Structures are given as structure tokens and as C-alpha cells.
Amino acid sequence: MNQKINNLTLKMLAKQLGLSVSTISKAIRDSHEISDTTKKRVNELVQKLNYIPNPYASSLGSRNSKTIGVVIPEVVDSFFAKAINGIESIAQENGYHVLIYLTHESIEKEKQILKDFESGRVDGVLLSVSRETCSHSHINILMNKGVPLVFFDRVVDEVKASKVVTNDYESAYKATELLIKNGCKQILFLSFLNTLAISNKRLNGYKNALLDNRLAFIEKNILTFQNDSKKDYLLLKKKLNLTKRADGVIASVEKLALPVYQACEELRLNIPGDVQVIGFSNLDTAAFLNPPLTTITQPAFEIGKTAAALLVKALGRKKIELANEEIIIPSTLVLRRSTSL
Amino acid sequence: MNQKINNLTLKMLAKQLGLSVSTISKAIRDSHEISDTTKKRVNELVQKLNYIPNPYASSLGSRNSKTIGVVIPEVVDSFFAKAINGIESIAQENGYHVLIYLTHESIEKEKQILKDFESGRVDGVLLSVSRETCSHSHINILMNKGVPLVFFDRVVDEVKASKVVTNDYESAYKATELLIKNGCKQILFLSFLNTLAISNKRLNGYKNALLDNRLAFIEKNILTFQNDSKKDYLLLKKKLNLTKRADGVIASVEKLALPVYQACEELRLNIPGDVQVIGFSNLDTAAFLNPPLTTITQPAFEIGKTAAALLVKALGRKKIELANEEIIIPSTLVLRRSTSL
DNA sequence: TTGAAAGCGCTAACAG
DNA sequence: CTGTTAGCGCTTTCAA
């Protein structure tokens, strides 16, 4: 269907050099079975004619595609964007190609994508699950088909696999503790509706920090946002406007920090005077918000890079095997003016 | 090398149904040559056995891969992240897969990537060139090989191809005019070192707005940043600290808005009282910066989406042809408090 | 409407 | 060290 220009093939090279196709093939891949002289002859012709092998033919023969599939919820999110950067750096370095798929937080899309991967389209998968992902059979099915998979950031605890994460529990604990030390009595915890392990860990960190500091854990101080619902925003505003008003907020998701700022602005509440705020975020602009936002900053690039490295290393082995290890790369608490000094 | 699980093949299906491989193949692709009854039989078995075709074998046979290559400078940039979103939406909708490549602003990498595309790895390319891209033979070579390519945002004027851009000249003109109307006399224009057409257009908009308003165009008011150099930042600071200090700044690139804020903070200059600032930016946080940043906001999602749509439409045709049209989707000037009212 | 046969361009034993 | 022989799994004429 494509009017593709007659691309050079191994066969043509073979004819030109009076060698066999397989010799050329091996020479190009620098096989030890081939003499240096013929390698040189071959490479010269390859250069001269600008021969570029057909990757799909190679894949078919060798049963691997030199490509990895990256499945993430969003790309407009500084965490994921930076993680992709890390992934790409490793891929690039090792001659892998990167197929990107966005689930937009939909488990249906996630299933669809993983199912497609059963085709052998990718040699391995890097996955950060959607908020909707509660069941995980689709992940197991793929892995059982022999497709290596490494989770990063948003992992599923129940699935046995290699995982690269950050210390969500501790970070949330520290964040909460900071607010408490700073005198907050009513601390809101904002998150999106989901069953993500990562959310739970953050929530538990928050909860335990409260309890360890003899503060009540109040169910109603957990605000669970639906996607972009106005209602949730109004609830947040209400919480910040009661007589016994919330005086601290932890936005456990990057996107939820801004609504807090917005609400405070509309209510003419001072941050950090009236309300102190901490956000889980990789925003480069955090330092320039009004006021600068104290953040839990995840090592996004490193997480992506490490996950990719794990996968690529495994793919390089004769017998592919991931150790099912969990690598934890700690986040950093960056103090700024949204929490009082 | 891969211990891939014995994947189902057409041959196996054929045997089970007592049909030929080609019949199955056609049935699966819903060919009109196949009777409805056999189509049904085939599809039932396909469902039951969960048959998934090998994409690389298909590619080899059909000479197209159903994947597009997206080449961009960075992904940690809200413009590109949003553009990817647009691209992905179209790809997804049309059954295309998306390979992502980052040049990190290096023309060498860009060349390497485009050269790889000569292999037939992708059916078409979406390209936003690196800052270093001055020559463009690598792009022409690829196109001459018959690989369809659509530029988006950062185009190369000299190359004939379809392009999706925004109105950079007008936007910069409007931005400059706004500052002038607001009383600015010394307006800095910040950009990165490059020969990008897009930069030139913005610069010209700035220049002409000055001239049309009887203000001098001063070469030294153009600050050209190298990548992350401290020196440039210091120069910016100096410009903001002269007796005849700059009183307006246009950051013609998203990344350069923050240094301005930083410099003003360090110099204790008030925005917009002492200096008014406008940034070309898609930052969601713009509204929450201190003060909220007036921006030229590009239609990132639409640009990506439109470029992808153009490409995909062309790929769907028997005889692939792009009309070499240039589609312009206008940006929006969003007034916020970094420019006085 | 179906099927046989000939590839697509490359890899991979295995011989020589 | 090089070549021969089979495929990889699918698409595509072209006959039947």
C-alpha cells in the first residue's frame, strides 16, 4: 500500500560482494564467526550504500523487537514527564525504542493496551497503573505470557514483579509531622478517588503521624476528589471556611495543590498564616508560587531511569528473569513558605 | 533468545477450522472476499483462543507498521506534554502506535533518529525540531525516501512539508504592544540561542511592535540564553538593575519566565510595579505564580492533535500525499497580574 | 468464495 | 570462517 522506496536488502548486498546473505547478516551484527576482512568489506559497502536493516524483519527472525512499552496515566504531569526522561535516557543508551501509551486513568484502556502487548510488540513493559486499577488479572496474564514487566511509582502490591517506588509512607508521615510541629490542629488530606497502593501508603503516613502526635484522625478530613468535579472543590472551600477551620492541607497529588491555593485566594485566607500547605509535587514552579509551595518531591527521573535499567538489564540476559525486587528511592521534603517557619 | 510462550499463529487457526491460512488472514481483516459464515466461524475461534496477530509479521508483509514516530526536543515542557496528549488521542483513535524520541535539543540526535526512520520503522513522522537544527538535509532525505512527515510548532521554513503552527509573530507583537501600552520603555526579549524560525517570528513581532510604536529597537535588549548558563542569568539581573533599568520582559520561551521572577525577587523588584512580565507558556501554574503570570498560551493539545490528524489521514490514503499546507492555530493572550492593569 | 504458492527481509541452526 | 537451508507469521497475487 505504501509506495516505499525500494530499500536495500541483505540479499542485494550479498550479491554485490559475492557473499551469502547470512554472512552479511552476521558481519553487520559483528559476529565473532566472521573474519575481520570481510567485516570490513561489508561495513564499507553498508556505509557507502547507506544500508539500514528492516527492524520488523529482524524482529520476526530474532523474536525480539528492541522496543519497550511505557504505560502511564498521563504525560501532562511533571512526575511522569520526568520519569519518561529517565526511561528514555536508558532506552537510548541501550538501543531500545520507546512506545508510549496513556491510559488517562482508565482501567479499560490499560487492559486494552496490555492485551495488545501479548502480540510481542514490545520486549518488555514499564507500567504505572491507572487510578481505576483495582483488579490486576490483566497484568498477571501479560506476565504469564512471558512478557517482562517492571512497575514504577504506581505499583500493585498484589502482583509479584520488580518495582521501583519512593517512600510514600514516610514522606506523608514527615509532611504531616511538619504541619503538626508547626501548630496545625486540623489537617486535611486531599487525594483522588482510587484504590492505589501509593495513595494508601500516603494516607497511612498521614494517619499514623496524627496518632503518634495525639491528634485525632478524623475521617471527614480526608477529601477524596472525583475527576475535576466542582463539588469537591466546593467541599474543600467549605472545610477551609468553617468556624473550626482546617489550618493545614496535604495535597497528596500534584494536581490538587492548585485548588488549595485557589480556594485560599477566594476566601482571602493567608498561606501560611491561616492555612499551611504541603504538596506532593515535582512542579518546577513550586518555588515561585504565591507563596512558594513546600513539597514532597519525588525522584521522578531516577525512578524512571532505574525502572528502565532494571528492565533493560533483564532483557539483555539469555534467560530473562526479574528478581521481583522492590527498589525504594526516597523523596525529599523541600521546605518553602507555604508552611510557616 | 526470548522464551516467548508459543503464540498462536494463523496456521494453527487454519488447521483447527480446516481452512487455509490466507482465508483466515482475510477473514480477520474483514475482507469482502470472505463469506459471512466463515468470517463468523473464524472470529469465534479468534475470540475463544484469544488470538492476537504478530504485528511485525504483518508489517513485513504489508509494508506498514501502524506506528508513527514523534520527535521532540523535550517532554518536560508543558507545551510538548500537551501536544503529545493531542497526538496520542488521534493515534489511539486510529489504531496507531506512538514511538517517542527526545532530541534534548541536539541536532546530532535528531539526525540519528530520522536516519533510523529510513528503516521503515514508522509509517510517518511528527517532528518539532531541536534548537540546534539549522541545516535540514536530514529531514529532506527522510522525506525523499517516501516517509511522510508533518512539522508541528518548531518547523523549518525551508523544508516543504505540512506544518501545524501557531501565530508566533502576531502573538509576540501583541505581547509587546501590551507592555508598551502599559508604559514600558525598555523591554527585554529573552530567548535561547538558536536559529529556529519560530524564534525569529517572535523576535520580529517584538521588533515591529517597538518600531510601530516609535520605540527604539535595541539589539542589547535581546538576551540570548545558552543552556542553563549562570552567566546569562547574571546578565539578565544586571539589565534589571541598571539605572536605566528594563521595565518590561518578554520571555519568548516557557523556561525563561522563572529566571525573571527569580531575578526580581533577588533584586526586590516588584512585578508589575517595577517590571512587567509576559511569558510564552502553557504552565498550568501560571495563574498561581507570584504574581500571576500574563501568558501567551499556545493551543498545544490542538496543535498536536491537528498534526497527528493530518498525518494519519494521509497514511490512510492509497497514494500517500500531504498537501504541504500550513495550518495556523492562534495562541491566546491571557492577562494576569504580572502586567499592570 | 477459497486456497496454493511465493514472498516480505532477516535470523538461526547446521554443514562444510 | 562461510554458506545452505529453513523458517519467523503474515500478506498477497493468482488460480481454482
Side-chain angles (χ1 to χ4, degrees), chain A residues 25-35 39:
Chain A
S25 171
K26 288 171 191 161
I28 285 175
R29 284 172 300 150
D30 200 29
S31 160
H32 59 88
E33 316 179 25
I34 303 297
S35 74
K39 271 185 194 168

Side-chain angles (χ1 to χ4, degrees), chain B residues 221-245:
Chain B
N221 279 164
I222 303 176
L223 299 196
T224 306
F225 282 62
Q226 314 272 113
N227 248 334
D228 305 307
S229 105
K230 205 76 206 161
K231 229 174 60 190
D232 300 315
Y233 176 69
L234 293 177
L235 179 59
L236 166 63
K237 241 176 115 170
K238 192 178 129 203
K239 288 280 188 185
L240 290 169
N241 208 14
L242 298 172
T243 35
K244 208 180 161 213
R245 169 177 60 62

Side-chain angles (χ1 to χ4, degrees), chain B residues 64-188:
Chain B
N64 64 230
S65 61
K66 274 292 196 177
T67 108
I68 63 182
V70 175
V71 183
I72 55 176
E74 284 298 343
V75 60
V76 183
D77 176 308
S78 49
F79 172 81
F80 287 114
K82 287 175 179 172
I84 290 176
N85 245 338
I87 292 168
E88 193 263 357
S89 73
I90 294 292
Q92 158 95 17
E93 206 175 302
N94 295 274
Y96 278 86
H97 299 258
V98 178
L99 278 169
I100 284 261
Y101 298 85
L102 309 178
T103 62
H104 297 289
E105 307 287 5
S106 149
I107 188 176
E108 273 321 311
K109 265 202 195 128
E110 188 176 293
K111 282 182 180 168
Q112 228 172 277
I113 294 161
L114 293 206
K115 171 135 192 207
D116 173 80
F117 286 170
E118 292 178 28
S119 67
R121 186 182 300 280
V122 298
D123 291 346
V125 177
L126 260 21
L127 171 62
S128 209
V129 298
S130 86
R131 278 207 291 269
E132 284 180 11
T133 302
C134 38
S135 71
H136 45 266
S137 54
H138 58 301
I139 304 173
N140 282 320
I141 289 174
L142 183 62
M143 293 180 68
N144 289 337
K145 288 257 177 182
V147 180
L149 180 148
V150 175
F151 282 106
F152 69 103
D153 195 51
R154 281 151 71 150
V155 306
V156 176
D157 281 343
E158 290 81 7
V159 177
K160 270 213 174 124
S162 284
K163 297 165 187 173
V164 181
V165 297
T166 183
N167 56 347
D168 290 291
Y169 173 86
E170 290 78 6
S171 299
Y173 190 100
K174 271 212 299 210
T176 311
E177 206 170 41
L178 172 67
L179 292 184
I180 297 172
K181 293 256 154 73
N182 283 356
C184 296
K185 299 293 183 208
Q186 286 281 332
I187 303 174
L188 299 182

Side-chain angles (χ1 to χ4, degrees), chain A residues 199-238:
Chain A
S199 296
N200 254 303
K201 284 171 192 158
R202 290 176 187 176
L203 182 57
N204 282 333
Y206 160 78
K207 199 185 288 189
N208 285 342
L210 288 179
L211 298 179
D212 290 354
N213 287 276
R214 294 149 185 268
L215 282 181
F217 165 66
I218 300 166
E219 199 71 54
K220 285 199 173 162
N221 279 165
I222 303 176
L223 299 195
T224 305
F225 282 63
Q226 313 272 112
N227 248 336
D228 306 307
S229 105
K230 205 78 207 160
K231 227 176 59 189
D232 299 316
Y233 176 69
L234 293 178
L235 180 58
L236 165 63
K237 240 175 116 170
K238 191 177 129 204

Side-chain angles (χ1 to χ4, degrees), chain A residues 18-224:
Chain A
L19 288 171
S20 79
V21 169
S22 67
T23 303
I24 310 277
S25 171
K26 288 171 191 161
I28 285 175
R29 284 172 300 150
D30 200 29
S31 160
H32 59 88
E33 316 179 25
I34 303 297
S35 74
D36 285 346
T37 42
T38 49
K39 271 185 194 168
K40 193 147 57 175
R41 284 214 307 146
V42 170
N43 283 324
E44 268 160 15
L45 193 64
V46 162
Q47 287 304 315
K48 189 176 134 215
L49 267 40
N50 186 31
Y51 166 76
I52 300 178
N54 179 315
Y56 298 133
S58 307
S59 293
L60 201 53
S62 64
R63 337 196 58 47
N64 65 232
S65 61
K66 273 292 194 180
T67 109
I68 62 183
V70 175
V71 183
I72 55 176
E74 284 297 343
V75 61
V76 184
D77 175 309
S78 51
F79 173 81
F80 287 114
K82 287 175 180 175
I84 290 176
N85 245 337
I87 291 168
E88 193 263 357
S89 73
I90 293 292
Q92 158 94 17
E93 207 175 301
N94 294 274
Y96 279 86
H97 299 259
V98 178
L99 279 170
I100 286 262
Y101 298 85
L102 309 179
T103 61
H104 297 290
E105 307 287 5
S106 147
I107 188 176
E108 272 321 310
K109 263 199 196 133
E110 188 176 293
K111 281 183 180 169
Q112 226 172 279
I113 294 161
L114 293 207
K115 171 137 192 206
D116 173 81
F117 287 170
E118 291 179 28
S119 68
R121 186 183 299 280
V122 297
D123 292 346
V125 177
L126 259 22
L127 171 62
S128 209
V129 298
S130 85
R131 276 207 292 269
E132 285 180 12
T133 302
C134 39
S135 71
H136 44 269
S137 54
H138 58 301
I139 304 173
N140 281 321
I141 289 175
L142 183 63
M143 295 180 68
N144 287 339
K145 288 256 178 184
V147 180
L149 181 148
V150 175
F151 283 106
F152 69 102
D153 195 50
R154 280 150 72 150
V155 306
V156 175
D157 282 344
E158 292 80 7
V159 176
K160 270 214 173 125
S162 284
K163 296 165 187 175
V164 181
V165 296
T166 183
N167 56 345
D168 291 291
Y169 174 87
E170 289 79 6
S171 298
Y173 189 101
K174 271 213 297 210
T176 311
E177 204 171 43
L178 172 66
L179 293 183
I180 296 172
K181 291 256 153 71
N182 282 356
C184 297
K185 300 293 182 205
Q186 286 281 331
I187 303 174
L188 300 181
F189 183 90
L190 313 188
S191 72
F192 277 113
L193 179 62
N194 67 67
T195 53
L196 252 30
I198 194 177
S199 296
N200 254 303
K201 284 171 192 158
R202 290 176 187 176
L203 182 57
N204 282 333
Y206 160 78
K207 199 185 288 189
N208 285 342
L210 288 179
L211 298 179
D212 290 354
N213 287 276
R214 294 149 185 268
L215 282 181
F217 165 66
I218 300 166
E219 199 71 54
K220 285 199 173 162
N221 279 165
I222 303 176
L223 299 195
T224 305

